[in-house]
Amino acid sequence: MVPDGFLVPGHSNGGVYAIKMDDEDVTTATETVTLTNNNSGNFYHMGTWIDLNGDGRKDFLTASSNAKENGGKLVWLEHPEGGLDQTPWEEHVIYAGGPDVGIEVDYLDEFPGEIVVFAAEFFNEELAFYRVSIKDGSFVERRVIDDSAILSAYSVALEDINNDGKKELIVNNHEKDSSTNGIWAYTVPIGNMMEGDFEKFTIASGFKNAFNLLVPGMSPGFPYAVWPEISRKGIDVAHVMVAGDGDYSFHDFYSTGDVKEFQYSDDLVKNEKGTVGALDFADLDNDGWLEVYVPNYDKGFIQVYKTGKATTTVEEI
């Protein structure tokens, strides 16, 4: 699935595309299918598969935006009986004026029969969550978590990074000014989410954007909760690895203080001298430790870093 069109200069006709891969060679595409009625001036950024009407077919939940305040929409594309042979898929608007970039979908016992969609709303400069029925995909209720200090919210993930048995929201914004950008943890009042307090802690701040004459840099990019030794998840405090995006760097933040206060220090793995927009992780050599895949958008290559027991050097492939 490719939600398309995010903030690329000169490209404003975003859509959602399904790329069919060859059964024998997953590096080869056999067909690209457009699932949306593409409207000029709109884009889609990320999404997830989930059955939202109980028909046994997974629909596609995503957010679209026109890059303006209150121009975002939380929508779902209904998976028809004919599948990819029956397009475009009908688009249902769950909430207009809300989600635009980063979303996280979770099932919580507090809201049976529903999903909770956490939304980092870039153009609204808000962090919020939405309750959505999984019986018919309808909107139930919304709560704003932060609309005073988050500024251009970019991504959100729900994860227990300090191993206290409670999940936190890991959120970043995406700013030109290093004095206002950062990554934060918000505690989640599970059991009282509509009225309880979301306490905010700073994990990292002060990301300095590289100079770019044509496109001003914005940072940080996406943060990820990572347990380099896979078996230690739920035992150790997570690393927070960061695609620096406009600061051209790959960061590994590690816990150095009070885990309840989310105190982290930065191990700048490498300044890549190019935009690092995202990271990915896998243990393809099956040694129990993750590799980190770091793309350099401007220079057109991907570097792979192996993690392992602490040493004084970093192995680069």
Side-chain angles (χ1 to χ4, degrees):
M1 294 299 294
V2 182
D4 177 61
F6 175 59
L7 286 183
V8 178
H11 297 266
S12 61
N13 189 25
V16 177
Y17 303 88
I19 300 178
K20 295 182 180 180
M21 311 310 294
D22 188 280
D23 290 338
E24 303 297 327
D25 180 4
V26 296
T27 68
T28 301
T30 60
E31 185 181 2
T32 299
V33 180
T34 307
L35 300 186
T36 47
N37 282 311
N38 296 356
N39 297 314
S40 180
N42 287 269
F43 67 80
Y44 300 82
H45 192 44
M46 56 180 61
T48 188
W49 289 101
I50 183 171
D51 183 1
L52 282 173
N53 57 1
D55 64 2
R57 296 186 293 270
K58 287 189 176 182
D59 311 295
F60 194 70
L61 175 71
T62 184
S64 68
S65 177
N66 62 4
K68 298 178 182 178
E69 184 178 358
N70 296 318
K73 295 179 183 179
L74 183 64
V75 303
W76 61 285
L77 305 177
E78 184 175 353
H79 188 156
E81 187 174 356
L84 296 181
D85 294 326
Q86 186 179 338
T87 59
W89 289 7
E90 184 176 359
E91 182 171 302
H92 303 272
V93 177
I94 300 171
Y95 192 94
D100 50 27
V101 178
I103 60 173
E104 159 90 3
V105 179
D106 294 280
Y107 294 90
L108 300 177
D109 293 339
E110 184 174 349
F111 306 116
E114 301 174 7
I115 55 172
V116 174
V117 182
F118 295 100
E121 300 179 10
F122 183 90
F123 298 100
N124 287 349
E125 296 192 344
E126 292 182 341
L127 174 65
F129 71 82
Y130 299 77
R131 293 167 51 195
V132 179
S133 169
I134 54 174
K135 295 180 180 179
D136 58 9
S138 62
F139 170 73
V140 178
E141 198 166 1
R142 174 182 190 255
R143 181 184 175 184
V144 175
I145 299 170
D146 186 350
D147 61 357
S148 62
I150 189 63
L151 300 180
S152 300
Y154 197 50
S155 74
V156 55
L158 183 66
E159 192 71 75
D160 180 9
I161 68 168
N162 65 351
N163 194 33
D164 65 353
K166 302 175 183 178
K167 291 185 176 181
E168 302 83 33
L169 293 176
I170 311 305
V171 183
N172 73 302
N173 65 10
H174 197 57
E175 296 286 327
K176 299 174 185 177
D177 188 346
S178 63
S179 68
T180 59
N181 65 25
I183 301 168
W184 297 273
Y186 292 77
T187 61
V188 180
I190 296 295
N192 188 28
M193 284 184 54
M194 297 308 301
E195 298 179 355
D197 293 331
F198 286 79
E199 190 175 2
K200 183 179 180 181
F201 297 86
T202 299
I203 293 176
S205 60
F207 294 86
K208 298 185 185 302
N209 290 299
F211 175 76
N212 188 312
L213 183 62
L214 299 177
V215 182
M218 301 179 74
S219 63
F222 302 133
Y224 303 83
V226 178
W227 287 263
E229 187 175 10
I230 298 169
S231 63
R232 302 297 295 179
K233 183 175 182 179
I235 301 173
D236 295 338
V237 175
H239 290 238
V240 177
M241 295 189 180
V242 180
D245 207 314
D247 82 346
Y248 288 4
S249 298
F250 161 38
H251 303 263
D252 175 20
F253 289 87
Y254 59 95
S255 179
T256 55
D258 187 343
V259 295
K260 294 181 180 179
E261 297 291 329
F262 302 93
Q263 293 177 354
Y264 276 79
S265 292
D266 184 10
D267 180 6
L268 175 62
V269 178
K270 188 176 181 181
N271 186 324
E272 301 286 350
K273 308 296 184 182
T275 304
V276 180
L279 304 174
D280 210 344
F281 310 88
D283 178 21
L284 295 186
D285 59 5
N286 295 312
D287 68 350
W289 293 82
L290 290 175
E291 299 95 51
V292 187
Y293 296 79
V294 183
N296 188 317
Y297 175 81
D298 298 297
K299 295 187 177 180
F301 60 79
I302 298 173
Q303 289 179 306
V304 184
Y305 294 87
K306 286 180 58 63
T307 63
K309 292 186 182 299
T311 66
T312 57
T313 61
V314 176
E315 181 181 352
E316 177 184 325
I317 301 176

